[in-house]
Amino acid sequence: MPGRVEGKVVIVTGAARGQGASEARLLAAEGATVVVTDVLAEGEGVAAEVGGTWVHHDVASASSWAALVEAVVTGHGRIDGLVNNAGIYKVGRLLDTTEDDYRRIVDVNQVGVFLGMQAVAAAMVPNQAGSIVNISSVAGIRGINGALAYGASKFAVTGMTKSAALELGRFGIRANSVHPGVIDTPMITDLAGDGPGAEERANKMVRHAPIRRLAHADEVGNVVVFLLSDESSFCTGAEFVVDGGLSI
């Protein structure tokens, strides 16, 4: 029985670890040819594991995106899907956030998504088909206390996704955003720290959610697979929330 994304060529950014690596594994298991990208060298191991292609790639660089798209189209003939997964998180309240910190987060989380959509959509238009999945956050649909730049960047992803859906629909290209809550990945480990009290700090993040636990990265990845598959062929411009009810 063919996989849900059998034969599709999909780029996953930020796929060296955590949520991106999980998405790459699930897509490959469902039949996709996966192009794994990251600035972290561990991505090469993920690509080997899933039988995909590894590309060292800086999402904040337009030239890096151009080189990636050219390499994928040359090597595989087309691009069917893009997962704009790469992102960074940094704690910082309004009065404490430096301009450099703000711009760095926006460059990766917001400008990186813009550049990715622009570069990949141009390659999808001739085929009159494609699916773009932008990983936003629960912080992209509600305010976040103590991480202003991150919240701003994720709200931008939400808005850009809707605009892209309006513009690209006539070319058969869909764009949707996914909004994870607190996911058990290295990013959350970095935030909660390790050692004494780490588990308690992590659990505190989800104490107000109806489903009071951290999510597994695969629980986000399964939604991504759905949005890249033909099962979601009439879904575009939508927000898919995977937060255990945290945003209710």
Short mmCIF file of all heavy atoms in Angstrom, two decimals, residues 136-189:
data_model
loop_
_atom_site.label_atom_id
_atom_site.label_comp_id
_atom_site.label_asym_id
_atom_site.label_seq_id
_atom_site.Cartn_x
_atom_site.Cartn_y
_atom_site.Cartn_z
N SER A 136 4.49 27.74 12.93
CA SER A 136 4.36 28.92 13.79
C SER A 136 4.46 28.43 15.23
O SER A 136 5.40 27.73 15.59
CB SER A 136 3.05 29.65 13.50
OG SER A 136 2.91 30.77 14.34
N SER A 137 3.50 28.76 16.05
CA SER A 137 3.52 28.39 17.47
C SER A 137 2.19 28.80 18.07
O SER A 137 1.45 29.61 17.50
CB SER A 137 4.67 29.13 18.17
OG SER A 137 4.56 29.03 19.58
N VAL A 138 1.89 28.26 19.25
CA VAL A 138 0.76 28.80 20.00
C VAL A 138 1.02 30.27 20.29
O VAL A 138 0.08 31.06 20.42
CB VAL A 138 0.56 27.98 21.30
CG1 VAL A 138 1.73 28.14 22.25
CG2 VAL A 138 -0.73 28.37 22.00
N ALA A 139 2.31 30.66 20.32
CA ALA A 139 2.68 32.07 20.50
C ALA A 139 2.39 32.90 19.27
O ALA A 139 2.58 34.11 19.28
CB ALA A 139 4.16 32.17 20.87
N GLY A 140 1.93 32.26 18.18
CA GLY A 140 1.54 32.98 16.99
C GLY A 140 0.05 33.22 16.89
O GLY A 140 -0.44 33.78 15.90
N ILE A 141 -0.69 32.81 17.95
CA ILE A 141 -2.14 33.06 17.97
C ILE A 141 -2.60 33.67 19.29
O ILE A 141 -3.75 34.06 19.44
CB ILE A 141 -2.95 31.77 17.70
CG1 ILE A 141 -2.56 30.66 18.66
CG2 ILE A 141 -2.78 31.33 16.26
CD1 ILE A 141 -3.40 29.40 18.51
N ARG A 142 -1.69 33.75 20.28
CA ARG A 142 -2.00 34.40 21.56
C ARG A 142 -0.73 35.02 22.09
O ARG A 142 0.37 34.67 21.69
CB ARG A 142 -2.56 33.40 22.57
CG ARG A 142 -1.66 32.21 22.83
CD ARG A 142 -2.14 31.35 23.99
NE ARG A 142 -1.87 31.98 25.27
CZ ARG A 142 -2.11 31.40 26.45
NH1 ARG A 142 -2.65 30.18 26.49
NH2 ARG A 142 -1.83 32.00 27.57
N GLY A 143 -0.87 35.98 22.99
CA GLY A 143 0.30 36.64 23.54
C GLY A 143 1.17 35.68 24.34
O GLY A 143 0.70 34.68 24.86
N ILE A 144 2.46 36.00 24.40
CA ILE A 144 3.39 35.19 25.18
C ILE A 144 4.14 36.11 26.14
O ILE A 144 4.63 37.17 25.74
CB ILE A 144 4.37 34.42 24.26
CG1 ILE A 144 5.31 33.55 25.09
CG2 ILE A 144 5.14 35.35 23.35
CD1 ILE A 144 6.13 32.59 24.26
N ASN A 145 4.20 35.74 27.38
CA ASN A 145 4.82 36.57 28.42
C ASN A 145 6.30 36.23 28.53
O ASN A 145 6.66 35.09 28.81
CB ASN A 145 4.11 36.31 29.76
CG ASN A 145 4.60 37.24 30.85
OD1 ASN A 145 5.33 38.19 30.60
ND2 ASN A 145 4.19 36.98 32.07
N GLY A 146 7.15 37.20 28.27
CA GLY A 146 8.57 37.00 28.49
C GLY A 146 9.38 36.61 27.28
O GLY A 146 10.56 36.31 27.40
N ALA A 147 8.77 36.60 26.10
CA ALA A 147 9.51 36.27 24.87
C ALA A 147 8.91 37.08 23.72
O ALA A 147 8.38 36.53 22.76
CB ALA A 147 9.46 34.78 24.58
N LEU A 148 9.01 38.40 23.83
CA LEU A 148 8.32 39.30 22.92
C LEU A 148 8.75 39.10 21.47
O LEU A 148 7.92 39.03 20.56
CB LEU A 148 8.55 40.75 23.35
CG LEU A 148 7.84 41.80 22.50
CD1 LEU A 148 7.24 42.88 23.37
CD2 LEU A 148 8.81 42.43 21.50
N ALA A 149 10.04 39.02 21.22
CA ALA A 149 10.52 38.88 19.85
C ALA A 149 10.05 37.58 19.22
O ALA A 149 9.65 37.55 18.05
CB ALA A 149 12.04 38.98 19.82
N TYR A 150 10.09 36.50 19.99
CA TYR A 150 9.63 35.21 19.50
C TYR A 150 8.15 35.29 19.12
O TYR A 150 7.74 34.85 18.04
CB TYR A 150 9.86 34.14 20.56
CG TYR A 150 9.43 32.76 20.16
CD1 TYR A 150 10.23 31.97 19.34
CD2 TYR A 150 8.20 32.22 20.60
CE1 TYR A 150 9.84 30.69 18.97
CE2 TYR A 150 7.81 30.94 20.23
CZ TYR A 150 8.63 30.18 19.42
OH TYR A 150 8.23 28.92 19.05
N GLY A 151 7.33 35.85 20.01
CA GLY A 151 5.91 35.98 19.74
C GLY A 151 5.64 36.82 18.50
O GLY A 151 4.79 36.47 17.67
N ALA A 152 6.38 37.92 18.36
CA ALA A 152 6.21 38.78 17.19
C ALA A 152 6.52 38.01 15.91
O ALA A 152 5.79 38.11 14.91
CB ALA A 152 7.11 40.01 17.30
N SER A 153 7.60 37.25 15.93
CA SER A 153 7.99 36.50 14.73
C SER A 153 6.97 35.43 14.37
O SER A 153 6.70 35.19 13.19
CB SER A 153 9.38 35.87 14.93
OG SER A 153 9.35 34.82 15.88
N LYS A 154 6.39 34.79 15.38
CA LYS A 154 5.44 33.72 15.11
C LYS A 154 4.08 34.26 14.68
O LYS A 154 3.37 33.63 13.87
CB LYS A 154 5.31 32.81 16.33
CG LYS A 154 6.57 32.00 16.61
CD LYS A 154 6.97 31.13 15.42
CE LYS A 154 8.13 30.21 15.73
NZ LYS A 154 8.48 29.34 14.58
N PHE A 155 3.67 35.43 15.18
CA PHE A 155 2.46 36.06 14.66
C PHE A 155 2.67 36.42 13.18
O PHE A 155 1.75 36.30 12.37
CB PHE A 155 2.13 37.32 15.46
CG PHE A 155 1.07 37.11 16.50
CD1 PHE A 155 1.43 36.77 17.80
CD2 PHE A 155 -0.27 37.25 16.20
CE1 PHE A 155 0.45 36.57 18.77
CE2 PHE A 155 -1.25 37.06 17.17
CZ PHE A 155 -0.89 36.72 18.46
N ALA A 156 3.87 36.87 12.84
CA ALA A 156 4.17 37.20 11.45
C ALA A 156 4.04 35.98 10.55
O ALA A 156 3.51 36.07 9.43
CB ALA A 156 5.58 37.79 11.35
N VAL A 157 4.50 34.83 11.03
CA VAL A 157 4.37 33.59 10.25
C VAL A 157 2.89 33.28 9.99
O VAL A 157 2.51 32.91 8.87
CB VAL A 157 5.06 32.42 10.97
CG1 VAL A 157 4.73 31.09 10.29
CG2 VAL A 157 6.57 32.63 11.00
N THR A 158 2.07 33.45 11.01
CA THR A 158 0.63 33.21 10.85
C THR A 158 0.05 34.10 9.76
O THR A 158 -0.68 33.64 8.87
CB THR A 158 -0.11 33.46 12.18
OG1 THR A 158 0.48 32.67 13.21
CG2 THR A 158 -1.58 33.13 12.06
N GLY A 159 0.37 35.39 9.81
CA GLY A 159 -0.16 36.33 8.82
C GLY A 159 0.38 36.09 7.42
O GLY A 159 -0.38 36.13 6.43
N MET A 160 1.68 35.83 7.32
CA MET A 160 2.27 35.57 6.00
C MET A 160 1.67 34.34 5.34
O MET A 160 1.48 34.30 4.13
CB MET A 160 3.78 35.37 6.13
CG MET A 160 4.57 36.63 6.38
SD MET A 160 6.36 36.37 6.16
CE MET A 160 6.69 35.21 7.49
N THR A 161 1.37 33.33 6.16
CA THR A 161 0.79 32.10 5.62
C THR A 161 -0.56 32.39 4.97
O THR A 161 -0.86 31.89 3.87
CB THR A 161 0.62 31.05 6.73
OG1 THR A 161 1.89 30.80 7.34
CG2 THR A 161 0.05 29.76 6.19
N LYS A 162 -1.38 33.20 5.63
CA LYS A 162 -2.69 33.52 5.07
C LYS A 162 -2.57 34.32 3.78
O LYS A 162 -3.29 34.07 2.80
CB LYS A 162 -3.51 34.28 6.12
CG LYS A 162 -3.89 33.43 7.31
CD LYS A 162 -4.74 34.20 8.31
CE LYS A 162 -5.10 33.34 9.50
NZ LYS A 162 -5.89 32.14 9.13
N SER A 163 -1.65 35.27 3.76
CA SER A 163 -1.45 36.06 2.54
C SER A 163 -0.95 35.19 1.40
O SER A 163 -1.40 35.31 0.26
CB SER A 163 -0.45 37.20 2.80
OG SER A 163 -1.00 38.14 3.70
N ALA A 164 -0.01 34.29 1.71
CA ALA A 164 0.52 33.39 0.68
C ALA A 164 -0.58 32.49 0.14
O ALA A 164 -0.64 32.22 -1.07
CB ALA A 164 1.66 32.56 1.26
N ALA A 165 -1.45 32.01 1.03
CA ALA A 165 -2.55 31.15 0.58
C ALA A 165 -3.44 31.88 -0.42
O ALA A 165 -3.88 31.31 -1.43
CB ALA A 165 -3.36 30.67 1.78
N LEU A 166 -3.72 33.16 -0.15
CA LEU A 166 -4.55 33.95 -1.05
C LEU A 166 -3.88 34.14 -2.40
O LEU A 166 -4.53 34.08 -3.45
CB LEU A 166 -4.84 35.31 -0.42
CG LEU A 166 -5.80 35.32 0.77
CD1 LEU A 166 -5.78 36.68 1.45
CD2 LEU A 166 -7.21 34.98 0.31
N GLU A 167 -2.57 34.37 -2.39
CA GLU A 167 -1.86 34.64 -3.63
C GLU A 167 -1.58 33.39 -4.46
O GLU A 167 -1.57 33.44 -5.69
CB GLU A 167 -0.53 35.33 -3.31
CG GLU A 167 -0.69 36.72 -2.70
CD GLU A 167 0.66 37.37 -2.42
OE1 GLU A 167 1.69 36.89 -2.95
OE2 GLU A 167 0.69 38.36 -1.67
N LEU A 168 -1.33 32.28 -3.78
CA LEU A 168 -0.83 31.09 -4.48
C LEU A 168 -1.91 30.08 -4.86
O LEU A 168 -1.64 29.16 -5.63
CB LEU A 168 0.22 30.39 -3.61
CG LEU A 168 1.47 31.22 -3.29
CD1 LEU A 168 2.37 30.45 -2.33
CD2 LEU A 168 2.23 31.58 -4.56
N GLY A 169 -3.10 30.25 -4.33
CA GLY A 169 -4.16 29.28 -4.61
C GLY A 169 -4.44 29.09 -6.08
O GLY A 169 -4.71 27.97 -6.55
N ARG A 170 -4.36 30.15 -6.87
CA ARG A 170 -4.65 30.05 -8.31
C ARG A 170 -3.62 29.21 -9.05
O ARG A 170 -3.84 28.81 -10.19
CB ARG A 170 -4.77 31.45 -8.93
CG ARG A 170 -3.50 32.27 -8.89
CD ARG A 170 -3.81 33.73 -9.20
NE ARG A 170 -2.65 34.59 -9.10
CZ ARG A 170 -1.94 35.01 -10.14
NH1 ARG A 170 -2.28 34.64 -11.37
NH2 ARG A 170 -0.90 35.80 -9.96
N PHE A 171 -2.48 28.96 -8.39
CA PHE A 171 -1.45 28.12 -8.99
C PHE A 171 -1.50 26.68 -8.45
O PHE A 171 -0.61 25.88 -8.72
CB PHE A 171 -0.06 28.69 -8.72
CG PHE A 171 0.16 30.08 -9.24
CD1 PHE A 171 0.34 31.14 -8.37
CD2 PHE A 171 0.16 30.33 -10.61
CE1 PHE A 171 0.56 32.42 -8.85
CE2 PHE A 171 0.36 31.61 -11.10
CZ PHE A 171 0.55 32.67 -10.21
N GLY A 172 -2.54 26.38 -7.69
CA GLY A 172 -2.66 25.04 -7.13
C GLY A 172 -1.75 24.81 -5.93
O GLY A 172 -1.51 23.66 -5.54
N ILE A 173 -1.24 25.89 -5.34
CA ILE A 173 -0.31 25.79 -4.21
C ILE A 173 -1.05 26.16 -2.93
O ILE A 173 -1.69 27.22 -2.85
CB ILE A 173 0.90 26.70 -4.40
CG1 ILE A 173 1.64 26.35 -5.69
CG2 ILE A 173 1.84 26.61 -3.20
CD1 ILE A 173 2.68 27.38 -6.10
N ARG A 174 -0.95 25.30 -1.93
CA ARG A 174 -1.59 25.55 -0.65
C ARG A 174 -0.57 25.99 0.39
O ARG A 174 0.62 25.61 0.31
CB ARG A 174 -2.29 24.27 -0.14
CG ARG A 174 -3.37 23.78 -1.09
CD ARG A 174 -4.07 22.54 -0.58
NE ARG A 174 -3.21 21.36 -0.56
CZ ARG A 174 -2.75 20.77 0.53
NH1 ARG A 174 -3.05 21.26 1.73
NH2 ARG A 174 -1.99 19.69 0.45
N ALA A 175 -1.00 26.79 1.38
CA ALA A 175 -0.12 27.22 2.47
C ALA A 175 -0.92 27.20 3.77
O ALA A 175 -2.01 27.78 3.86
CB ALA A 175 0.42 28.63 2.22
N ASN A 176 -0.40 26.50 4.76
CA ASN A 176 -1.05 26.39 6.06
C ASN A 176 -0.01 26.56 7.17
O ASN A 176 1.19 26.34 6.95
CB ASN A 176 -1.72 25.03 6.21
CG ASN A 176 -2.91 24.85 5.27
OD1 ASN A 176 -3.98 25.39 5.50
ND2 ASN A 176 -2.70 24.10 4.18
N SER A 177 -0.47 26.94 8.34
CA SER A 177 0.44 27.08 9.48
C SER A 177 0.07 26.08 10.56
O SER A 177 -1.09 25.75 10.76
CB SER A 177 0.41 28.51 10.04
OG SER A 177 -0.90 28.90 10.41
N VAL A 178 1.11 25.60 11.24
CA VAL A 178 0.94 24.66 12.35
C VAL A 178 1.43 25.35 13.62
O VAL A 178 2.48 26.01 13.62
CB VAL A 178 1.73 23.36 12.10
CG1 VAL A 178 1.67 22.44 13.32
CG2 VAL A 178 1.19 22.65 10.87
N HIS A 179 0.65 25.17 14.70
CA HIS A 179 0.91 25.93 15.93
C HIS A 179 1.11 24.99 17.11
O HIS A 179 0.17 24.69 17.85
CB HIS A 179 -0.27 26.88 16.18
CG HIS A 179 -0.47 27.86 15.07
ND1 HIS A 179 -0.04 29.16 15.15
CD2 HIS A 179 -1.02 27.71 13.84
CE1 HIS A 179 -0.31 29.78 14.01
NE2 HIS A 179 -0.91 28.92 13.20
N PRO A 180 2.34 24.53 17.30
CA PRO A 180 2.62 23.65 18.45
C PRO A 180 2.55 24.41 19.76
O PRO A 180 2.82 25.61 19.83
CB PRO A 180 4.04 23.16 18.18
CG PRO A 180 4.32 23.48 16.74
CD PRO A 180 3.51 24.69 16.44
N GLY A 181 2.20 23.65 20.80
CA GLY A 181 2.29 24.18 22.16
C GLY A 181 3.64 23.81 22.72
O GLY A 181 4.68 24.10 22.13
N VAL A 182 3.64 23.15 23.87
CA VAL A 182 4.90 22.77 24.53
C VAL A 182 5.26 21.36 24.10
O VAL A 182 4.60 20.39 24.50
CB VAL A 182 4.77 22.88 26.06
CG1 VAL A 182 6.12 22.65 26.72
CG2 VAL A 182 4.22 24.25 26.45
N ILE A 183 6.29 21.25 23.29
CA ILE A 183 6.68 19.97 22.69
C ILE A 183 7.98 19.50 23.35
O ILE A 183 8.90 20.29 23.60
CB ILE A 183 6.89 20.12 21.17
CG1 ILE A 183 5.72 20.88 20.53
CG2 ILE A 183 7.07 18.76 20.53
CD1 ILE A 183 4.37 20.24 20.70
N ASP A 184 8.06 18.21 23.58
CA ASP A 184 9.24 17.63 24.21
C ASP A 184 10.37 17.52 23.19
O ASP A 184 10.57 16.49 22.56
CB ASP A 184 8.89 16.24 24.77
CG ASP A 184 10.01 15.66 25.62
OD1 ASP A 184 10.99 16.39 25.89
OD2 ASP A 184 9.91 14.48 26.01
N THR A 185 11.09 18.61 23.01
CA THR A 185 12.21 18.70 22.07
C THR A 185 13.38 19.39 22.75
O THR A 185 13.22 19.97 23.83
CB THR A 185 11.82 19.51 20.82
OG1 THR A 185 11.58 20.86 21.22
CG2 THR A 185 10.59 18.94 20.14
N PRO A 186 14.56 19.39 22.13
CA PRO A 186 15.70 20.09 22.72
C PRO A 186 15.44 21.57 22.99
O PRO A 186 16.00 22.14 23.92
CB PRO A 186 16.80 19.90 21.67
CG PRO A 186 16.49 18.59 21.04
CD PRO A 186 14.98 18.57 20.97
N MET A 187 14.57 22.22 22.20
CA MET A 187 14.28 23.63 22.44
C MET A 187 13.63 23.82 23.81
O MET A 187 13.95 24.76 24.54
CB MET A 187 13.36 24.20 21.35
CG MET A 187 13.09 25.69 21.50
SD MET A 187 12.00 26.37 20.22
CE MET A 187 13.10 26.40 18.81
N ILE A 188 12.71 22.93 24.18
CA ILE A 188 12.07 23.02 25.49
C ILE A 188 13.05 22.64 26.59
O ILE A 188 13.07 23.24 27.67
CB ILE A 188 10.81 22.12 25.54
CG1 ILE A 188 9.75 22.68 24.59
CG2 ILE A 188 10.26 22.03 26.95
CD1 ILE A 188 9.31 24.09 24.89
N THR A 189 13.90 21.65 26.31
CA THR A 189 14.93 21.28 27.29
C THR A 189 15.84 22.46 27.55
O THR A 189 16.22 22.75 28.70
CB THR A 189 15.74 20.08 26.79
OG1 THR A 189 14.86 18.99 26.54
CG2 THR A 189 16.78 19.65 27.82
#
